[in-house]
Amino acid sequence: MFGNFTDRILNTFDALTGKGLLTEEDVTKALREIRVAMLEADVPLAVAKDFVEKIKEKAVGEKILKSIKPGDMVVKIVRDSLADLLGKNLPSESFDLSYKSSPSVFLLVGLQGSGKTTTAGKLSLLLKNDKKKVLLSSLDIYRPAAIEQLNQLAKSIEIDYMENNPNDEIANLVKNSFFKAKQMSHDVIIFDTAGRTTVDETLMEEIKKIQQITDPSEILLVADAMIGQESVNVAKSFQSYVNLTGIILTRVDGDSKGGAALSMTVSTGKPIKFLGIGE
């Protein structure tokens, strides 16, 4: 991840730091290279353009260009701006999972195939290792064997799960999950929701309703890092319906570009809380 992008940026930095004096033209040329690198990394044009413009505002001042090491100053501005893009200025506590009740509810949302079910298993194991008692509950009543898939994962890592009936109403599945969680003193319920191949109003209205009846402390958007530029549209669509608290990027080991990671935080204002690898 970020392999090609990193190489391109480092080459640009070498060109900057190798000069004793910088002109505005030198900086403009370097920023053009950075914008091209971002576009090649599948960062949307609007994000790349805004990023470069903000750097140029900071980097072209007379004080910087006439400093002892202007190249190093510009490199620092770019580095700090990239850190900001990835959420450096977000409150540190926003990267932590929050618990506001017992049981606390974590809602996983996203498109079909993004890795929600596998992520639910990984997250529950992480919480288990942190001494939390977790209940897994699948609300995906549409995809064949979705409930069974989550339950098999739960069995393999010894996590409690709900034997949900795909023919039942989602409201009843939620109600039964809360009943069992309170009865067995679970700290967290992780709800795995249904996805679609594309964002549609039916999916969004259903997730909005689930948010209302579960009152989650975390709504985590699970997104496949491989979808690149489309990740921004997906994130904005979900955020317009539900109160996202963070992002989980999956399959990052298969993504050499890194466009989704560079784009999603700046476009949603929400932190990337976890990176998932493998299938």
Side-chain angles (χ1 to χ4, degrees):
M1 190 179 184
F2 295 134
N4 297 334
F5 178 74
T6 301
D7 291 341
R8 190 77 177 257
I9 295 293
L10 288 177
N11 289 336
T12 303
F13 284 175
D14 287 342
L16 284 177
T17 55
K19 292 191 174 186
L21 292 173
L22 287 184
T23 64
E24 183 174 339
E25 185 180 344
D26 292 329
V27 175
T28 300
K29 183 179 178 182
L31 293 181
R32 190 183 304 121
E33 286 295 311
I34 291 172
R35 184 168 70 173
V36 170
M38 294 182 79
L39 294 175
E40 289 180 350
D42 271 348
V43 175
L45 176 60
V47 174
K49 189 176 179 181
D50 183 60
F51 177 78
V52 168
E53 285 299 320
K54 287 180 179 177
I55 293 175
K56 189 172 183 179
E57 287 176 14
K58 299 174 183 176
V60 174
E62 183 178 347
K63 184 178 179 181
I64 289 176
L65 294 183
K66 291 188 176 181
S67 62
I68 298 173
K69 292 185 177 180
D72 291 346
M73 293 286 286
V74 175
V75 168
K76 183 180 185 306
I77 291 170
V78 175
R79 184 190 66 80
D80 291 346
S81 298
L82 282 170
D84 292 344
L85 199 66
L86 291 167
K88 178 186 174 185
N89 288 329
L90 293 175
S92 58
E93 61 270 17
S94 68
F95 288 87
D96 299 326
L97 293 172
S98 63
Y99 305 87
K100 67 179 183 182
S101 59
S102 186
S104 293
V105 171
F106 295 172
L107 202 60
L108 301 189
V109 303
L111 296 182
Q112 187 174 311
S114 61
K116 288 191 304 300
T117 302
T118 304
T119 298
K122 290 180 177 181
L123 183 57
S124 65
L125 182 57
L126 183 74
L127 295 173
K128 177 185 176 182
N129 292 337
D130 196 32
K131 310 302 181 187
K132 303 288 185 185
K133 190 174 182 182
V134 183
L135 177 65
L136 283 170
S137 181
S138 174
L139 303 181
D140 188 349
I141 58 177
Y142 309 103
R143 184 166 61 90
I147 294 173
E148 182 59 25
Q149 180 189 355
L150 184 64
N151 292 354
Q152 287 299 323
L153 274 173
K155 289 177 186 176
S156 69
I157 54 178
E158 299 181 339
I159 299 287
D160 293 334
Y161 61 90
M162 292 296 299
E163 290 277 11
N164 289 338
N165 184 344
N167 297 315
D168 207 345
E169 295 287 331
I170 285 179
N172 287 335
L173 298 182
V174 170
K175 181 181 177 182
N176 293 340
S177 298
F178 271 102
F179 180 79
K180 180 173 180 177
K182 289 175 180 177
Q183 191 178 46
M184 298 182 65
S185 300
H186 287 96
D187 301 302
V188 179
I189 306 174
I190 298 178
F191 285 110
D192 180 23
T193 64
R196 305 286 192 280
T197 53
T198 57
V199 173
D200 62 49
E201 191 172 348
T202 304
L203 166 66
M204 294 306 191
E205 288 297 339
E206 180 178 278
I207 292 173
K208 189 175 181 180
K209 181 180 178 182
I210 293 171
Q211 175 187 252
Q212 291 169 349
I213 61 178
T214 59
D215 188 26
S217 56
E218 292 281 355
I219 302 180
L220 301 168
L221 173 63
V222 181
D224 186 340
M226 301 286 283
I227 64 175
Q229 292 192 29
E230 186 59 24
S231 61
V232 173
N233 296 329
V234 170
K236 286 183 175 179
S237 296
F238 276 92
Q239 192 175 34
S240 66
Y241 278 84
V242 294
N243 303 320
L244 294 180
T245 58
I247 298 157
I248 300 178
L249 275 183
T250 61
R251 295 208 296 170
V252 296
D253 51 331
D255 175 29
S256 63
K257 294 184 175 182
L262 286 169
S263 308
M264 292 187 81
T265 295
V266 71
S267 61
T268 63
K270 303 301 177 184
I272 297 174
K273 296 201 174 189
F274 297 101
L275 299 176
I277 59 173
E279 294 290 336

